[in-house]
Amino acid sequence: PRKFDKESSREKYGIEKNKKVVMFFGTPRPYKGIEDLIKAISLIRDRNVLLNLVGNGKDSYSQNLEKIGKQTLGNRFRPFDPQPFEKVPELLAMADVIAIPQRKNFATVGQVPAKVLDAMAMAKPIIATRVSDLPEILDGCGWIVEPENPEQLAKTIQYVLSAPEEAEKTG
């Protein structure tokens, strides 16, 4: 994490210093709960809280997510195309918190998203849902919320963003 600077990464991608970045990083799929994350961000009144969706492709699901994100959040929603693996640390560096809002279903209960390990390697605060082994993996180093609960996700995001010292320590 020390090799990648938050401020220079934000400058490179045009994110103002006063903004707070919630990031989803990965390939969008219906079971990954991105709609829940968009809803959660819409419940946060602070206009400086942005959602960066990194990995949004050109498939119909991704394009629909982009439409929903822009309609719901306006300029608070920033989609990024799929990125090469070597850019992962640079992109994660700009985030204040990483969200992994998996839904609980057959696609998620038996797997762990690799992006949780990328976020942990970058010492980022992580909020994930109580799915698969995520509660055990993030025990003591992240926050766990119930799946498909945008209200709880929004409250937890607000808490993490309001407690930067705790967020940094936990990350």
Side-chain angles (χ1 to χ4, degrees):
R2 289 182 197 91
K3 293 180 180 181
F4 297 90
D5 179 62
K6 183 181 202 173
E7 285 73 32
S8 58
S9 182
R10 285 180 176 215
E11 185 176 322
K12 179 177 179 176
Y13 292 99
I15 297 173
E16 299 169 41
K17 289 183 180 183
N18 66 325
K19 303 297 183 188
K20 295 180 180 180
V21 175
V22 178
M23 182 179 288
F24 173 89
F25 197 105
T27 305
R29 298 286 183 254
Y31 57 84
K32 293 191 178 180
I34 302 165
E35 293 96 334
D36 299 331
L37 181 57
I38 292 169
K39 174 67 175 172
I41 299 299
S42 76
L43 296 172
I44 298 172
R45 295 198 184 274
D46 185 345
R47 307 304 297 166
N48 289 319
V49 176
L50 308 177
L51 173 57
N52 285 4
L53 173 58
V54 180
N56 206 48
K58 301 299 179 204
D59 60 281
S60 61
Y61 179 72
S62 295
Q63 293 305 298
N64 189 49
L65 270 181
E66 189 167 332
K67 182 180 172 185
I68 292 168
K70 288 180 178 178
Q71 286 177 343
T72 306
L73 301 173
N75 63 0
R76 295 173 59 201
F77 178 78
R78 298 216 30 202
F80 289 76
D81 290 337
Q83 300 294 312
F85 187 74
E86 58 271 7
K87 282 196 168 193
V88 170
E90 174 185 288
L91 289 157
L92 288 172
M94 77 171 99
D96 291 292
V97 62
I98 305 299
I100 304 174
Q102 302 252 82
R103 291 181 169 172
K104 191 170 187 171
N105 63 34
F106 289 115
T108 59
V109 295
Q111 60 96 16
V112 173
K115 297 305 177 202
V116 72
L117 303 175
D118 294 331
M120 291 174 79
M122 284 297 292
K124 288 295 173 180
I126 302 167
I127 301 170
T129 49
R130 187 175 308 285
V131 175
S132 182
D133 291 333
L134 289 170
E136 289 80 15
I137 292 168
L138 294 173
D139 186 26
C141 63
W143 289 264
I144 299 295
V145 298
E146 294 304 318
E148 299 180 58
N149 190 330
E151 294 80 11
Q152 186 183 29
L153 182 57
K155 287 178 184 174
T156 306
I157 289 169
Q158 288 175 300
Y159 174 78
V160 172
L161 293 176
S162 71
E165 291 173 4
E166 181 181 349
E168 183 177 350
K169 180 182 174 192
T170 302

